[in-house]
Amino acid sequence: MERIATNFTLVGGRTVNAEVLNKASWLGIAAGLRSMMPIAVLTATSDKSSPTLKKLTTYMAVGEVIGDKLPIIPGRVTKGPFLARIVIGALSGAVFSKRLQQPPLAGAMRGALGAALGTIIGYTYRSFASSAIGIPDIVWALAEDGIAYTLAVNAATPEPQA
């Protein structure tokens, strides 16, 4: 199936690829679920990242995946973690957009919005799913890990050209 590339023009005449902005949104959603995941994936998929930086960001993402399961970690919807996720989503969207020669500000806005949505949706489903369905929270947390990773990888990895 052939994809139709959709471009549109911003105020000021700059053309933006809608697919890039959609992927910036997905990176933001991933940041809302696991804040370090899009940073680790963007670093891993970059030719410009050093091996040390790739390892560091991977360790940070793995640390967050582990830390998320601990009861001492503050909730993601408290002021500090919520704002941090929005900032990380914005940075991820901007970096991704710049990587593809698109306006970083547009990617940052989509990444920030995605992060806010991902944070609220992730918190809501984790808060209510285990009590409503009876499946332990750890199962939902592991599913959320997988979703965050899948979103980030699918957004950051270029699609094969036919």
Side-chain angles (χ1 to χ4, degrees):
M1 176 189 256
E2 186 177 329
R3 277 191 173 227
I4 299 172
T6 305
N7 294 318
F8 57 93
T9 305
L10 298 173
V11 175
R14 184 95 191 252
T15 301
V16 181
N17 182 287
E19 185 66 22
V20 171
L21 294 182
N22 288 340
K23 288 184 171 199
S25 296
W26 289 117
L27 286 167
I29 292 170
L33 299 176
R34 293 289 175 273
S35 60
M36 297 310 299
M37 194 67 70
I39 293 172
V41 170
L42 284 169
T43 304
T45 58
S46 173
D47 295 337
K48 297 179 182 179
S49 297
S50 71
T52 303
L53 184 60
K54 289 180 182 189
K55 285 180 186 177
L56 176 65
T57 57
T58 299
Y59 292 146
M60 291 169 68
V62 169
E64 182 185 13
V65 165
I66 294 167
D68 174 67
K69 306 337 175 254
L70 303 175
I72 61 169
I73 301 299
R76 72 182 92 190
V77 294
T78 58
K79 185 178 180 181
F82 187 77
L83 291 175
R85 289 170 190 272
I86 291 173
V87 168
I88 291 169
L91 289 172
S92 297
V95 166
F96 179 73
S97 294
K98 186 172 171 65
R99 180 186 288 182
L100 297 175
Q101 291 80 42
Q102 296 294 306
L105 181 58
M109 291 188 303
R110 291 291 291 264
L113 178 61
L117 291 171
T119 300
I120 293 166
I121 290 168
Y123 175 79
T124 302
Y125 103 84
R126 284 272 302 276
S127 297
F128 297 108
S130 56
S131 62
I133 300 175
I135 297 173
D137 182 63
I138 187 73
V139 175
W140 297 110
L142 293 170
E144 188 176 356
D145 296 339
I147 292 167
Y149 177 77
T150 301
L151 286 174
V153 167
N154 286 334
T157 306
E159 295 180 18
Q161 300 298 317

